[in-house]
Amino acid sequence: MSTTYLKSESQTIWARNAKNKASEENLPTDSRRGSQVIVVHPGSRSVLIGKASDVSPTSVPNVVARKCKPPVPEFVRIEGASRPRKRSSDTGEETLEQDPFDEKISAITISLRDRMKFYKLRVTHNATTIASTFNEQFKPEIIAEYNDPFRVEWTEKVSDEDVYFGEKALRLADPQKAGYALRYPIYAANFNLRDYPSLQVVLSDLELILRTTLQEKFEVDSKDYKDYSVILVIPDNYDRTYVREFVNLLLITMGFKQICAQQESLAATYGAGISNACVVNIGATTTSVACVDEGMVLADTRYGLVAFD
């Protein structure tokens, strides 16, 4: 019995691999693996949206400004969070308050010095004074506004648009004066029900951000949602109501084909190509820690800290 197996160079594994690689390079961009999968990672300050085939996602500020009837709720901006300031009633100048952060730093500094003395390492007692004296020698340079490469074009004039979102919403110079209510749909890894009157209003704003971003950034129309799958990245310590409502929004309301809910720690380890890790996620309002072992999040290791504004 005769055979022609491996009797020509075109039958070798190198020739087959070269042929397969050439055929993959000739494929159109939309046929790449993961091009029909959309990854959504909602956060307190931004939403990461992108296709699974993309190198990096698109970050969109997760904020919506809607025009509402007076009285317009005031938008509270967090300023000087690490070193709060108060205005003196006598001089009118701003002075530093007693910050509890300084007390904690002092305790850590004392512990560090004791350790260094124990290990017979050199301790610089006046290190803070030396650093402050050195920094006081340099004065900041004030850049003219027309030469500032990071200048923000603020929206001063009131338009007829009923809603802004993302960067446009953050560029409103005075939302309250313009008659807009500025709100973040997500807060502390859950729906922001402290600033919104109902859950339906939160879901409506999230749908607006997702639909508009998919249309403007990825040219995906509403009629094409049925051809796309979605990976929803959820917190490690997720709330069942949060997941249920988000899945209902993506599957029922928006009409995507199918969905996969993935925890943040698992998504991070899969992206890094490892199966065991301790994942620390530092966000705008929450910090979470979770351990992943063989592709599974250990429930007893999940720990979350919420930083209330």
Side-chain angles (χ1 to χ4, degrees), residues 2 15 25 40 54 74 89 91 110 148 156-157 195 198 212 256 263 280:
S2 62
E25 291 177 352
V40 179
D54 296 339
E74 182 181 359
S89 57
T91 61
I110 294 174
D148 188 1
E156 299 284 353
K157 298 181 180 179
D195 297 330
S198 66
T212 310
F256 284 100
Q263 290 173 287
V280 180

Side-chain angles (χ1 to χ4, degrees), residues 33-169:
R33 185 179 180 182
S35 60
Q36 296 298 110
V37 179
I38 296 176
V39 183
V40 179
H41 186 189
S44 300
R45 288 296 177 266
S46 62
V47 181
L48 301 179
I49 306 176
K51 293 183 179 180
S53 58
D54 296 339
V55 177
S56 58
T58 300
S59 179
V60 180
N62 192 11
V63 58
V64 176
R66 286 187 178 273
K67 184 170 290 187
C68 61
K69 298 180 180 179
V72 180
E74 182 181 359
F75 177 67
V76 180
R77 300 182 185 274
I78 307 302
E79 297 180 357
S82 60
R83 293 183 179 275
R85 295 174 177 270
K86 67 177 183 179
R87 188 174 296 276
S88 175
S89 57
D90 300 331
T91 61
E93 297 180 354
E94 290 186 345
T95 57
L96 286 173
E97 290 183 349
Q98 183 64 30
D99 191 356
F101 181 77
D102 294 336
E103 299 178 2
K104 297 178 181 179
I105 288 294
S106 300
I108 296 174
T109 303
I110 294 174
S111 176
L112 177 62
R113 288 177 178 174
D114 293 340
R115 284 175 174 267
M116 294 179 68
K117 289 180 180 179
F118 177 80
Y119 290 107
K120 298 180 180 180
L121 299 175
R122 181 182 177 185
V123 179
T124 305
H125 298 280
N126 58 340
T128 304
T129 305
I130 294 175
S132 301
T133 305
F134 178 79
N135 292 333
E136 288 176 356
Q137 300 175 6
F138 303 93
K139 302 299 180 182
E141 179 183 357
I142 300 177
I143 303 175
E145 187 176 0
Y146 56 84
N147 286 333
D148 188 1
F150 304 102
R151 184 181 61 177
V152 177
E153 297 291 341
W154 298 101
T155 304
E156 299 284 353
K157 298 181 180 179
V158 180
S159 64
D160 296 332
E161 295 190 33
D162 295 332
V163 59
Y164 290 100
F165 83 95
E167 292 289 347
K168 293 182 179 179

